[in-house]
Amino acid sequence: MTFKPKFNIPGNLLAGDTTDIYFARTVEILAKENRNPVAVMEVFATRPGILCGLSEAVELLQAILPAGEGEIWALEDGDQISAKEVVMRIKAPYLSFGLYETVYLGMLASGTGWATAARECAEAAGDIPVTSFGARHIHPLVAGRMDYAAMVGGCKGCSSIEGARLSGINPSGTIPHALILVMGDTLKATLAFDKYMPSQIPRVALVDTFKDEVEESLRVAEAMGQRLDSVRLDTPLERGRVTADLVKEVRANLDMAGHRHVKIFVSGGLTPERIRYFAENNAPVDGYGTGSYISGARPIDFTADLHEIEGKPVAKRGRIPGLAQNPRLKKVR
């Protein structure tokens, strides 16, 4: 991504409150022993994926490394990485960054897991855009990071305000069932949205709350005409969820009524397999909303190893001492 996000690293992370206690104890012991060698740490993933969390990790390191000291080499968010490939190298006095190993590894593990899952959805969808709707499935303190990772992975939009800020876009959203239930009618809720929301926000009607999806689609389309951008199908599992046949039926009825401009957006438990199902059955879907498949993705484990201390190659047993060769690394500090 060309947009450079500003993560505003929280104070508790900078204070080391989220680190493993043994790193805090290590820093305390070394400080009391007056030992602070210049060390080189290399970071790599245990399996392939779409790298994410690197920009945030670099922002963290830039904040904690002493002025005029320390070097960082790194890949970029969005890079395809292989297992064991070094994605970041830190060279600095150990006490300046030793406390934060847990922190930057967690940033990379979660971000890369989310971005990799998003890439799977985007590849399944092909040219059809995928929007990240997973903020509700994850702790709010990391929802923005998850949506940013989804954008890095290939989503074209995201629902959370912070995720959109980090990605340099406007947040995407339709109409929730809550508004329709409170208003008591799908058309009334959609017209209220149209009345009060800025004109640049697309009018997307949710059409599965009270009546048949085809009936609701036609009601809203007839009332709003060209102002209606899309209808959203989110039929729950209890009613058989959205099917390719339902999409085709809605499309055919909209077309016959002269509403060919109205697009169809599908959401509800979507996975790469479900997205491929719609494509394989030639369902005329114009956009997908994917939630828990991305937000619930398994993190990709990252490891940090010291490979040099005061210019001397070192490594734990089973690893090769000295610096790994990766010409893709770029110096960022």
Side-chain angles (χ1 to χ4, degrees), residues 3-8 145 148 158 160-171:
F3 181 80
K4 298 298 182 183
K6 178 67 174 175
F7 289 93
N8 301 318
R145 267 61 167 178
Y148 166 76
C158 64
S160 75
I161 296 169
E162 185 185 15
R165 177 188 67 78
L166 291 172
S167 304
I169 63 170
N170 293 318

Side-chain angles (χ1 to χ4, degrees), residues 119-329:
R119 179 63 57 87
E120 294 170 3
C121 293
E123 289 179 345
D127 294 333
I128 300 172
V130 178
T131 300
S132 174
F133 276 0
R136 70 187 59 192
H137 303 303
I138 201 165
H139 194 282
L141 290 179
V142 294
R145 267 61 167 178
M146 182 276 301
D147 268 345
Y148 166 76
M151 294 293 295
V152 168
C155 286
K156 300 302 182 183
C158 64
S159 63
S160 75
I161 296 169
E162 185 185 15
R165 177 188 67 78
L166 291 172
S167 304
I169 63 170
N170 293 318
S172 301
T174 59
I175 294 174
H177 290 98
L179 177 61
I180 297 171
L181 290 167
V182 171
M183 295 290 291
D185 180 77
T186 296
L187 179 56
K188 288 180 180 179
T190 307
L191 290 174
F193 185 99
D194 183 47
K195 179 179 179 180
Y196 295 111
M197 291 297 101
S199 59
Q200 65 268 25
I201 297 176
R203 274 52 178 158
V204 183
L206 181 60
V207 293
D208 57 43
T209 307
F210 288 121
K211 302 177 185 295
D212 176 82
E213 291 84 352
V214 172
E215 180 182 355
E216 292 283 52
S217 296
L218 291 174
R219 287 181 70 221
V220 175
E222 290 292 340
M224 296 191 63
Q226 292 295 320
R227 301 196 311 281
L228 182 64
D229 180 89
S230 308
V231 293
R232 174 181 159 209
L233 306 180
D234 191 56
T235 307
L237 186 62
E238 293 87 344
R239 294 192 58 246
R241 62 184 178 175
V242 183
T243 65
D245 285 340
L246 176 60
V247 177
K248 293 176 183 178
E249 183 181 3
V250 171
R251 177 77 274 156
N253 280 271
L254 285 170
D255 289 352
M256 287 188 293
H259 306 297
R260 295 181 180 274
H261 69 282
V262 177
K263 298 188 287 290
I264 298 177
F265 187 91
V266 172
S267 60
L270 294 184
T271 64
E273 291 73 24
R274 283 282 291 161
I275 292 172
R276 282 192 288 270
Y277 152 78
F278 287 108
E280 291 165 358
N281 286 275
N282 298 311
V285 178
D286 298 293
Y288 295 104
T290 304
S292 59
Y293 185 82
I294 297 173
S295 64
R298 181 164 65 97
I300 292 181
D301 293 351
F302 279 77
T303 297
D305 276 353
L306 284 173
H307 276 270
E308 189 177 280
I309 296 178
E310 292 292 357
K312 179 183 176 180
V314 296
K316 63 184 288 187
R317 292 182 64 189
R319 306 273 165 79
I320 300 173
L323 305 186
Q325 297 301 311
N326 186 357
R328 296 210 295 160
L329 290 172

